[in-house]
Amino acid sequence: MDLQRAGVRLQVVLGHLSRPSAPAIVANPVSGPASPASCHPQQFQYTLDNNVLSLEQRKFYEENGFLVIKNLVPDDDIQRFRAEFERICRKEVTPPGIIVMKDVAIAKQDCALNEKVVTKIQDFQEDQELFRYCTLPQILKYVECFTGPNIMAMHSMLINKPSDSGKKTSRHPLHQDLHYFPFRPSDRIVCAWTAMEHIDRNNGCLVVLPGTHKGTLKPHGYPNWEGGINKMYHGIQDYKQDSNRVHLVMEKGDTVFFHPLLIHGSGRNRTQGFRKAISCHYASSDCHYINVKGTSQENIQNEVKEVAERHYGIQGNIDFQDIWVFRSRLVKGERINL
């Protein structure tokens, strides 16, 4: 399957979205025997009854909007993902639909594509090796605690944060992932983000603002940074500068699960190496698409459509949700709305 066929596939998808919007979802509990996490007197909003999370873990996610699970992905898997990333950088494989990105500080340099140039690849749903991450049973068993049993993999990325050039372009501004997503409800969406090596403040770890998932989606746009900003790296336009921040120091294989309204970002990479992580956003297939025209998300909708038209060579009637239908894959259960 080449890019031309991928483009054709996207065009086919255009006819599948005329059905009416689905009603609000009814959360489905994770199947399995009762456990301390599902025997509780209080109401939970952001997690579903399950036999995976302890009551303490569940309460922590409810209060903070994120949860780190230590040593979840084995070294062997991470090494395989790293090797496949390097093959893509060397153009030994060219999975259809994949988007290869460079940091704005080096994007205009005339240098051959290699691991030191590529800072992110996304939409690797057609790459069998990398997409295996999105289907790992140990990942999905946690994802199901947030989405329920019908799980769609919506967006995949492997981030190769480069050593900062001195212009601070390796930073990612504070943002909410829901800004990029034209589907709801937000409480049935979750990201799994796995460290592929030791990550701390020196090489640009994730920084989160605990509890901000309880708020609303804020307007996003490009920050006015002197050194420039990477394409589609939108940031929140207004937030409290004195907000409590937590820097997530993680070891290889550690995985953080977080809510799409959680405000988060990452600092610059002050080391001479690269900082790698692999991630996937999941949603319940009971979720439904929304029209973002006239909302704060319209700016990112227009940018994503421009990238898709340029990448796939398709002009004309491409809708924001068409692109997401093309990206998404059912990884567990039944496909209902998405």
Side-chain angles (χ1 to χ4, degrees):
M1 185 177 188
D2 54 22
L3 277 178
Q4 183 177 6
R5 290 178 61 194
V8 171
R9 182 173 179 176
L10 179 56
Q11 288 179 305
V12 171
V13 166
L14 301 180
H16 293 173
L17 296 165
S18 58
R19 60 181 183 268
S21 296
I25 74 162
V26 177
N28 295 302
V30 177
S31 59
S35 71
S38 59
C39 297
H40 51 80
Q42 69 260 63
Q43 295 295 315
F44 290 98
Q45 177 177 348
Y46 306 107
T47 58
L48 302 174
D49 289 351
N50 65 86
N51 61 352
V52 175
L53 299 179
S54 69
L55 184 57
E56 291 73 23
Q57 288 174 322
R58 194 170 180 185
K59 287 181 177 179
F60 185 91
Y61 186 90
E62 291 280 335
E63 180 63 27
N64 296 283
F66 70 97
L67 180 67
V68 177
I69 304 299
K70 305 293 289 183
N71 197 30
L72 187 61
V73 179
D75 287 357
D76 289 347
D77 283 321
I78 290 176
Q79 183 54 42
R80 288 176 60 177
F81 301 145
R82 181 185 292 269
E84 182 69 359
F85 171 75
E86 292 172 357
R87 293 179 66 208
I88 292 171
C89 291
R90 295 193 298 265
K91 293 187 176 182
E92 294 176 8
V93 291
T94 53
I98 203 166
I99 295 178
V100 178
M101 303 177 71
K102 301 178 182 179
D103 187 88
V104 65
I106 57 178
K108 296 181 180 180
Q109 296 179 12
D110 185 19
C111 47
L113 201 63
N114 59 65
E115 184 186 2
K116 295 183 179 180
V117 173
V118 175
T119 57
K120 181 193 292 187
I121 59 173
Q122 63 182 30
D123 299 338
F124 52 68
Q125 65 274 1
E126 296 291 348
D127 185 284
Q128 184 175 358
E129 182 59 46
L130 288 182
F131 192 72
R132 196 171 54 80
Y133 168 80
C134 304
T135 65
L136 290 175
Q138 65 267 40
I139 294 283
L140 294 182
K141 79 173 185 178
Y142 283 97
V143 169
E144 189 170 350
C145 301
F146 311 105
T147 65
N150 301 313
I151 306 173
M152 300 292 297
M154 301 300 295
H155 184 229
S156 51
M157 294 188 298
L158 195 156
I159 306 104
N160 188 43
K161 183 187 280 283
S163 177
D164 197 86
S165 65
K167 298 182 178 180
K168 302 181 181 179
T169 57
S170 65
R171 294 177 294 173
H172 198 303
L174 290 173
H175 64 284
Q176 297 164 298
D177 288 343
L178 192 66
H179 172 66
Y180 297 88
F181 303 155
F183 42 90
R184 301 290 188 275
S186 59
D187 293 344
R188 298 286 77 86
I189 303 169
V190 71
C191 178
W193 193 99
T194 299
M196 296 178 65
E197 55 205 307
H198 173 81
I199 295 176
D200 57 26
R201 295 187 68 171
N202 286 327
N203 59 3
C205 65
L206 285 181
V207 57
V208 301
L209 276 58
T212 51
H213 66 301
K214 299 176 184 178
T216 59
L217 180 61
K218 298 180 179 297
H220 287 60
Y222 284 111
N224 186 23
W225 286 354
E226 182 178 352
I229 183 71
N230 286 302
K231 184 72 172 175
M232 291 190 287
Y233 275 32
H234 288 195
I236 292 175
Q237 298 300 289
D238 60 330
Y239 64 91
K240 294 181 180 179
Q241 296 285 344
D242 59 350
S243 298
N244 178 39
R245 300 187 184 193
V246 174
H247 293 84
L248 301 183
V249 176
M250 301 169 66
E251 300 300 330
K252 182 166 62 172
D254 292 354
T255 301
V256 59
F257 297 88
F258 59 91
H259 191 280
L261 281 172
L262 181 73
I263 297 175
H264 67 287
S266 63
R268 53 180 165 152
N269 181 359
R270 296 179 173 88
T271 72
Q272 294 303 306
F274 287 79
R275 187 273 274 159
K276 289 182 175 63
I278 188 169
S279 72
C280 181
H281 280 91
Y282 299 89
S284 167
S285 74
D286 294 297
C287 289
H288 57 275
Y289 288 104
I290 63 168
N291 186 349
V292 302
K293 186 174 182 180
T295 73
S296 64
Q297 293 180 257
E298 190 169 8
N299 58 352
I300 192 63
Q301 170 187 258
N302 295 336
E303 283 195 47
V304 170
K305 287 172 64 176
E306 289 175 6
V307 171
E309 290 174 354
R310 183 170 63 251
H311 189 66
Y312 298 112
I314 301 173
Q315 301 296 322
N317 187 29
I318 297 181
D319 191 82
F320 195 27
Q321 67 186 50
D322 297 338
I323 298 165
W324 284 100
V325 171
F326 177 67
R327 285 171 163 173
S328 63
R329 296 290 183 273
L330 180 71
V331 290
K332 188 174 183 179
E334 300 179 7
R335 188 164 196 163
I336 299 176
N337 295 321
L338 290 183

